[in-house]
Amino acid sequence: QVQLAESGGGFVQAGGSLRLSCAVSRTIFSISSMGWYRQAPGKQRELVAAMPNGESPNYADSVKGRFTITRDNAKNTVYLQMNSLKPEDTAVYYCNLETTSSRTKSKDYYWGQGTQVTVSA
């Protein structure tokens, strides 16, 4: 069973920083992308940042220049460094893992449990 263990969420004042991490439970060789989504109250879940294998990361326009996604492939871990946080960044952040079967090319998606990030004014 694939499990994603998230950490790093919390409460921070505007302008502060947080670093989220997400580690896959065990070594998986079929990972094709790792990323972060977030969902604020009353809003749809949205992509924050994603890092496909061997490609440049993708960022939501609202976080460009402030957030940085990195991957440690040896540890099957993805990080999200969040700087210059704003109250509108307040949301539950979810780690996302995409795997692609080498045999069937089918894709599976896995989600972390979500970690709360609250930014006060």
Side-chain angles (χ1 to χ4, degrees), residues 20-114:
L20 307 183
S21 64
C22 174
V24 181
S25 59
R26 62 178 183 269
T27 301
I28 299 176
F29 298 102
S30 59
I31 295 174
S32 51
S33 185
M34 299 185 75
W36 293 91
Y37 288 71
R38 69 185 181 187
Q39 186 167 22
K43 295 187 176 181
Q44 299 291 324
R45 186 174 298 186
E46 64 174 348
L47 174 69
V48 178
M51 199 166 192
N53 293 358
E55 299 182 14
S56 299
N58 302 312
Y59 295 97
D61 288 341
S62 60
V63 307
K64 286 182 178 178
R66 299 188 297 119
F67 291 10
T68 302
I69 184 172
T70 56
R71 284 176 60 178
D72 186 334
N73 293 326
K75 298 180 179 179
N76 285 336
T77 301
V78 63
Y79 304 91
L80 185 68
Q81 179 66 46
M82 304 184 293
N83 298 326
S84 302
L85 283 162
K86 305 175 180 179
E88 50 262 44
D89 294 318
T90 296
V92 177
Y93 285 70
Y94 297 91
C95 180
N96 176 72
L97 169 68
E98 177 192 88
T99 63
T100 302
S101 171
S102 61
R103 182 175 66 86
T104 67
K105 309 302 181 183
S106 63
K107 297 182 182 295
D108 290 317
Y109 300 90
Y110 304 89
W111 297 91
Q113 78 282 1

